[in-house]
Amino acid sequence: MSKKYLSEREGQVKFFEDLKISDYVELTNNTDGVYKGTLFEFKLTIPDINKVLFQAIKYLSHKRIIGKPIPAQIMLVSLNEEIAYLFESSVYLNEIETIYAGAASKNNQSFSAKSQPEVIDFSKIDGLKSIIDVLGTVKFTKIHINMFCVVGWANSYYEKLHKASKSDFFEELRNPNIFKDYILPWQGDDIDFKYINDLLNPKTLKKELGAFYTPRPYCLKATELVRKAIKRIPKGNDYIILDRCAGTGNLQEFLTDKPVNEMTIRDLDKYIDKNLKIKYLQDKSEIITTFYSSKNFHEITIGELEKHKSSISLHDYLSDNELSHVIVNTYELKEWLVLIARLENKVKLVVPPPEHLNEHSPIVNGGDALSDHFILGSGVGRMFISEQYKEIIDEINSYVKDPKTNIILFENPPYRDNTAIDKQSIKSKDKSYVYKEFVKNGTNQAIHNDVSNLFIWSAWNYYLIKPDDYYVLFSPIKYWKTHNLGERQFVEGYLFNRQYFHATPSAISCILWKNTPQSLNTLNLTAYDIDTNKTPELDDDKIIKLNEISIQKVSKSMNEVYADKRRFDSDKNITVTVENNGLETAKPFKKHAIYNDNIIGHMMIKGFSLGVMTYSLTSLITYTNGLIESHGFYLRDDNYITILPMFVAKLYPQKNWYERDIYFTSADGGDAYLKDKEFLKSCFIFTCLSQSNHCRSIDGTDGNYYQNKLCFDTNTVASQDLLKYKLNGDEQGLIDLFNQILNKAKITKNYNSKYSYGTYQIDQELNTRYKNEINEWIYDYPELNTLITSLKSNLSKYYENYIQPKLFEYELLK
Ligand SMILES: C[S@@+](CC[C@H](N)C(=O)[O-])C[C@H]1O[C@@H](n2cnc3c(N)ncnc32)[C@H](O)[C@@H]1O
């Protein structure tokens, strides 16, 4: 052995330097590179040629997937022996066109070379000369286009031709021009790519794809939590990072793919936050000037810097090759294809294996993480999954069982709100294995109908079974706050803004849980927003730390405790019901409607969450979408004022994104609020003036008149009750304003002197308006409209000053 390199990188740099081509080489993974028509695979020594050749072939397979030309030659270089082995890649086209995601990548042993290599001894001048000859070759092996690689080639195509369209791209595939040396003409049909069509669009459009989900700054922040988990794994144990719903692999973006010591300063942006990088380089600045000033700054390796101790070590933050511990699963064909292009050759396993892909289905067979075959693997008798798939699942389960391997789940599970449409889709999807097991556990509909809860419950149940297992979980905090699905040790957590996840602004938590039981009543999470720098580019997005938000658990819903379900003998059945807008329902007789002189109105209060679907307040019972409101109840004149705070709590405005999905209504404070007469008065005044109170006076189709009793027009129950209170200046101001509104209302065209009017009915029926040619609203009574607007804004200040703090104090909001 003539050379004594200690690292492949060192030998490789020297090798290219000797050949005077270092500037041109595309260095990949620091240990191999492509030069013109040759792929290099460097090793210090090569005791097993087959193994290294196979590694090179897998590398070329990945190059095809990402749409890069396949060099015609493969050169395996044994640096210390100064021997190179030269192969023709065309001989291995079949192998290059195989996809190595999953277990296939593991069987290195079973591969054997189909051809004899040319052996070159480059310690001799002749050998060096023939290497220089080889390096002059610019030749490529043409590959077939299929579903697995078409996305990568589309990317490369649009990178070269910015203005090209999708049909230009298909034309290029059929009659290669710029790719004529790289690909064989494609004989397929457009329809073959039906389900991945939008991935083949020019790049700019792809940003719109939901597939690119969690925004990068949040992925990086969450990666910090994963790293904290890794650092806490007991000494001597290995770990797996599992993501059952990886989509296109955004969460894995910043995990390391090489040993920390082999990273260069240039590499650091790929793995860590800019601030940490700056702090680290400042800490090492003296070391850099003393020892490495002659080197290219960006090429200095972390290994070199870490040889000299200072106060920060990157090894405290990063671990070697974190991606090699990762197992990802994905469910949609599109996502699977993007995922392998990004991660295939870097991660431990990709589920499902490529055999499970079928271009005629948008879904990948076996990718449903909630199914029995995904959870049980070979433990399931069904035959439609491959042996290889079962092996993969069994491998995952063996890590779960192995006491020397800890599991870190790193997931952003899908979450669906409990809308009617979603309920139907769950029904038609033939409820998953996890769904059925979860139901057996005695859950209620609100919990098991939400897909995210199925993911979370199954995480604790099937994967996180050792005390040193961890879960880094993105999810609206409801799972912890109301469903008790986070009864584990809290390590650290953040709140992120869903606005950047293609949703409306609201809070999604990202928490590192340790799998040891703990029941907390309060969580403190730090809110982080994103500053997009007002540009569509993602690279200049920055994460911004806001305040710390304290979140409380809730246990009792208001409806369970405060609803007035009394029935009176004097209640009469009637045929009139109303829509949520307070107008009579245009439907035939509905049998559950009742009336009584003591009924003031009808209220519906649902669940813990806030939002327009969770409350209603009308004069008569609501009958919407063909259903009588089953969560509702009647307000009676003897106690309605004590019940109005529930309605008021549901109207909490949640002005900031980090309040949404964070604060819920509850009855956990019991009846403490009832003792605060001032508070009851405030809620009473607010309700009677609020436009969210949809009580109206109506003439029923049954011939009866139904008065709005919950407003401050004359002769209503509410206006009589108002007289019992002493009003402060602000309150008197609101009432005066309402009286001015009433006076203006009385001179409008539609005014009906029989009716008692509240703000909502005045605005809907009397404050008439129309749109002019340029689509602006023109009001028939601008003064009336102005007064209504003022009332709205004064009322919202009144809420903020007099009501809001007390809602929290009495735990009506929590
Ligand atoms: C909220 S996204 C997260 C994607 C990605 N991890 C990210 O953060 O950008 C949820 C992902 O779960 C996938 N998914 C939905 N239902 C699934 C199921 N039953 N099994 C596996 N994945 C599923 C969706 O296709 C989607 O990619």
Side-chain angles (χ1 to χ4, degrees):
M1 193 177 289
S2 49
K3 297 273 178 188
K4 290 231 170 356
Y5 296 117
L6 295 176
S7 78
E8 282 161 13
R9 185 186 154 77
E10 185 195 352
Q12 175 202 343
V13 170
K14 189 74 181 42
F15 177 87
F16 283 122
E17 260 172 33
D18 288 351
L19 295 164
K20 307 221 174 334
I21 55 170
S22 51
D23 289 349
Y24 302 97
V25 176
E26 174 202 326
L27 297 173
T28 329
N29 284 341
N30 285 349
T31 49
D32 50 22
V34 172
Y35 182 70
K36 294 186 179 171
T38 310
L39 167 77
F40 290 92
E41 188 70 49
F42 291 96
K43 295 288 163 203
L44 290 176
T45 59
I46 301 185
D48 181 347
I49 299 173
N50 284 335
K51 199 170 149 195
V52 184
L53 177 62
F54 190 40
Q55 212 177 324
I57 284 172
K58 281 190 285 182
Y59 181 72
L60 291 182
S61 157
H62 194 69
K63 276 198 131 9
R64 169 177 170 263
I65 292 172
I66 58 175
K68 296 280 180 281
I70 304 301
Q73 309 183 108
I74 302 171
M75 184 176 269
L76 313 180
V77 184
S78 174
L79 291 161
N80 285 338
E81 294 162 317
E82 295 185 275
I83 300 280
Y85 304 91
L86 185 66
F87 291 89
E88 295 287 317
S89 68
S90 58
V91 178
Y92 298 94
L93 184 58
N94 236 337
E95 288 76 9
I96 290 169
E97 292 187 345
T98 300
I99 309 298
Y100 297 97
S105 61
K106 303 217 139 161
N107 304 325
N108 285 3
Q109 267 71 24
S110 60
F111 178 84
S112 64
K114 294 199 267 186
S115 56
Q116 285 301 317
E118 185 186 333
V119 182
I120 305 170
D121 176 351
F122 59 89
S123 67
K124 311 242 161 61
I125 192 79
D126 283 359
L128 258 181
K129 271 192 192 145
S130 42
I131 288 193
I132 290 168
D133 283 350
V134 168
L135 288 175
T137 314
V138 187
K139 234 184 104 197
F140 300 90
T141 294
K142 292 183 194 172
I143 52 94
H144 296 93
I145 292 290
N146 67 8
M147 171 176 69
F148 290 103
C149 66
V150 69
V151 181
W153 286 94
N155 263 338
S156 295
Y157 181 72
Y158 298 121
E159 256 164 40
K160 286 194 169 62
L161 299 175
H162 296 296
K163 294 199 173 130
S165 67
K166 188 153 64 182
S167 60
D168 297 337
F169 172 61
F170 276 96
E171 181 53 28
E172 173 70 28
L173 294 184
R174 290 201 172 91
N175 298 302
N177 175 26
I178 59 169
F179 292 155
K180 68 177 182 307
D181 295 330
Y182 311 148
I183 68 172
L184 295 159
W186 176 58
Q187 316 278 352
D189 235 317
D190 294 18
I191 194 90
D192 294 351
F193 300 139
K194 178 171 149 194
Y195 290 113
I196 54 174
N197 226 314
D198 42 359
L199 292 177
L200 305 180
N201 282 327
K203 233 181 168 175
T204 42
L205 289 178
K206 283 210 279 173
K207 279 196 189 133
E208 304 303 317
L209 272 183
F212 297 102
Y213 204 66
T214 305
R216 297 178 88 236
Y218 289 158
C219 291
L220 182 56
K221 195 76 200 151
T223 303
E224 289 176 15
L225 295 180
V226 175
R227 291 185 172 136
K228 286 191 174 156
I230 296 172
K231 295 295 176 203
R232 286 160 171 254
I233 299 291
K235 278 226 154 36
N237 275 15
D238 197 359
Y239 68 93
I240 291 297
I241 303 173
L242 172 63
D243 183 350
R244 295 169 294 159
C245 44
T248 54
N250 282 18
L251 293 185
Q252 289 70 30
E253 166 101 19
F254 293 97
L255 293 171
T256 64
D257 54 358
K258 58 173 75 158
V260 177
N261 281 346
E262 284 181 21
M263 291 169 191
T264 60
I265 290 176
R266 188 196 308 284
D267 287 337
L268 287 181
D269 289 330
K270 291 198 279 183
Y271 310 115
I272 59 171
D273 177 70
K274 285 201 171 65
N275 293 332
L276 175 58
K277 180 180 165 185
I278 293 167
K279 214 166 88 178
Y280 181 66
L281 292 179
Q282 276 167 354
D283 185 58
K284 297 282 181 197
S285 63
E286 252 184 73
I287 294 165
I288 295 171
T289 33
T290 316
F291 298 99
Y292 303 108
S293 56
S294 63
K295 280 199 78 166
N296 173 343
F297 173 75
H298 297 289
E299 294 302 321
I300 300 171
T301 64
I302 303 309
E304 287 168 329
L305 296 180
E306 293 287 332
K307 272 190 218 154
H308 312 275
K309 291 270 161 287
S310 61
S311 57
I312 306 180
S313 165
L314 266 197
H315 291 285
D316 292 338
Y317 295 91
L318 300 175
S319 299
D320 291 346
N321 235 324
E322 293 154 351
L323 270 182
S324 68
H325 298 259
V326 164
I327 300 176
V328 275
N329 171 68
T330 195
Y331 193 23
E332 288 184 17
L333 177 68
K334 276 193 300 197
E335 295 181 340
W336 195 99
L337 293 172
V338 177
L339 185 75
I340 49 150
R342 284 172 92 173
L343 294 177
E344 179 224 20
N345 57 347
K346 295 178 175 167
V347 296
K348 194 175 200 78
L349 287 174
V350 177
V351 201
E355 301 85 306
H356 281 229
L357 263 71
N358 170 355
E359 61 248 53
H360 305 299
S361 162
I363 294 295
V364 188
N365 194 1
D368 179 0
L370 304 175
S371 65
D372 49 358
H373 39 263
F374 188 91
I375 289 171
L376 304 170
S378 61
V380 167
R382 295 213 226 140
M383 290 315 292
F384 69 93
I385 45 172
S386 66
E387 281 310 311
Q388 205 182 39
Y389 178 88
K390 289 180 189 167
E391 267 176 38
I392 294 178
I393 300 297
D394 289 351
E395 184 176 335
I396 296 175
N397 287 337
S398 74
Y399 297 130
V400 173
K401 287 197 202 97
D402 178 9
K404 299 299 283 177
T405 304
N406 286 106
I407 309 294
I408 300 170
L409 279 192
F410 184 23
E411 295 182 330
N412 182 357
Y415 27 86
R416 291 199 195 119
D417 301 333
N418 244 347
T419 61
I421 301 159
D422 277 318
K423 274 185 196 157
Q424 270 165 13
S425 74
I426 284 183
K427 252 179 225 153
S428 62
K429 258 176 74 194
D430 190 20
K431 299 172 175 115
S432 64
Y433 174 74
V434 168
Y435 180 99
K436 289 179 202 148
E437 293 298 305
F438 194 29
V439 170
K440 277 189 211 159
N441 233 43
T443 59
N444 68 38
Q445 237 199 8
I447 307 185
H448 58 238
N449 268 356
D450 198 330
V451 191
S452 60
N453 292 335
L454 300 181
F455 267 90
I456 299 167
W457 178 78
S458 57
W460 302 126
N461 215 43
Y462 300 111
Y463 298 96
L464 303 167
I465 56 174
K466 284 160 259 168
D468 289 298
D469 289 346
Y470 288 87
Y471 200 178
V472 177
L473 170 62
F474 284 77
S475 198
I477 196 61
K478 200 171 178 173
Y479 73 94
W480 172 82
K481 196 171 160 91
T482 56
H483 299 328
N484 287 332
L485 284 173
E487 297 295 279
R488 297 296 191 282
Q489 191 186 325
F490 170 80
V491 182
E492 194 172 328
Y494 314 126
L495 283 181
F496 295 148
N497 186 351
R498 278 183 74 189
Q499 181 179 350
Y500 305 104
F501 295 70
H502 309 282
T504 46
S506 68
I508 174 162
S509 66
C510 175
I511 295 177
L512 169 59
W513 297 106
K514 181 179 191 287
N515 189 34
T516 44
Q518 186 176 41
S519 189
L520 295 169
N521 284 320
T522 306
L523 285 184
N524 292 319
L525 305 182
T526 315
Y528 284 93
D529 211 338
I530 290 180
D531 178 1
T532 60
N533 217 353
K534 298 212 169 65
T535 66
E537 279 76 41
L538 302 176
D539 286 344
D540 59 357
D541 287 0
K542 272 199 295 278
I543 197 161
I544 307 171
K545 189 173 179 178
L546 304 178
N547 31 343
E548 189 149 290
I549 307 288
S550 175
I551 307 177
Q552 317 291 322
K553 212 177 254 168
V554 290
S555 60
K556 280 189 238 120
S557 76
M558 295 195 304
N559 203 32
E560 290 170 65
V561 179
Y562 305 131
D564 179 359
K565 299 282 184 186
R566 288 177 298 167
R567 282 286 176 267
F568 287 69
D569 291 343
S570 49
D571 287 350
K572 289 194 294 271
N573 285 333
I574 56 164
T575 58
V576 180
T577 60
V578 295
E579 301 282 348
N580 189 14
N581 65 9
L583 294 174
E584 185 173 350
T585 324
K587 290 263 170 70
F589 175 64
K590 307 95 203 164
K591 45 187 177 186
H592 299 288
I594 57 167
Y595 187 74
N596 193 323
D597 278 344
N598 69 15
I599 288 178
I600 303 294
H602 182 269
M603 190 192 276
M604 179 276 280
I605 294 291
K606 214 181 336 193
F608 293 103
S609 326
L610 301 170
V612 285
M613 305 293 285
T614 64
Y615 64 84
S616 72
L617 178 55
T618 46
S619 304
L620 299 171
I621 191 167
T622 48
Y623 184 91
T624 31
N625 301 325
L627 289 172
I628 277 285
E629 186 45 71
S630 57
H631 294 268
F633 52 91
Y634 293 93
L635 299 173
R636 309 275 179 169
D637 58 6
D638 58 348
N639 67 354
Y640 74 100
I641 291 179
T642 65
I643 291 170
L644 297 179
M646 283 203 272
F647 172 71
V648 174
K650 285 285 185 195
L651 297 179
Y652 179 58
Q654 311 182 87
K655 288 188 184 143
N656 299 305
W657 65 263
Y658 46 79
E659 295 174 290
R660 293 195 204 126
D661 289 342
I662 293 296
Y663 298 124
F664 289 175
T665 54
S666 93
D668 294 352
D671 55 10
Y673 78 96
L674 290 175
K675 298 185 188 95
D676 187 340
K677 300 296 176 221
E678 280 295 301
F679 173 64
L680 292 177
K681 175 184 72 174
S682 301
C683 292
F684 166 61
I685 292 174
F686 181 87
T687 306
C688 291
L689 296 176
S690 163
Q691 287 215 47
S692 301
N693 163 2
H694 288 183
C695 292
R696 297 200 204 207
S697 298
I698 55 167
D699 289 304
T701 48
D702 61 356
N704 291 322
Y705 167 58
Y706 296 98
Q707 189 204 25
N708 172 5
K709 301 177 184 175
L710 207 50
C711 65
F712 293 144
D713 201 346
T714 38
N715 295 327
T716 63
V717 175
S719 59
Q720 292 306 312
D721 283 337
L722 182 67
L723 300 175
K724 298 176 192 155
Y725 289 108
K726 191 166 173 305
L727 306 187
N728 65 30
D730 289 335
E731 288 157 350
Q732 194 55 55
L734 290 170
I735 301 298
D736 292 346
L737 194 50
F738 180 72
N739 285 333
Q740 287 179 49
I741 291 173
L742 260 187
N743 289 337
K744 294 282 174 208
K746 281 178 185 159
I747 50 172
T748 59
K749 195 163 87 220
N750 293 343
Y751 182 72
N752 181 340
S753 59
K754 185 173 78 179
Y755 285 2
S756 303
Y757 283 95
T759 322
Y760 179 69
Q761 191 168 15
I762 294 174
D763 190 48
Q764 293 289 308
E765 295 174 16
L766 311 183
N767 183 21
T768 46
R769 67 206 83 169
Y770 61 93
K771 274 198 173 161
N772 67 7
E773 321 74 62
I774 54 165
N775 224 16
E776 288 166 341
W777 283 110
I778 303 296
Y779 289 86
D780 295 325
Y781 309 99
E783 286 177 272
L784 173 62
N785 186 59
T786 308
L787 289 169
I788 292 175
T789 312
S790 311
L791 178 63
K792 197 172 168 187
S793 94
N794 291 358
L795 205 55
S796 107
K797 281 183 217 134
Y798 182 69
Y799 188 103
E800 211 170 308
N801 295 336
Y802 292 91
I803 298 180
Q804 196 164 297
K806 290 188 172 176
L807 288 171
F808 283 103
E809 183 184 335
Y810 300 127
E811 297 185 40
L812 292 164
L813 273 181
K814 216 177 161 188

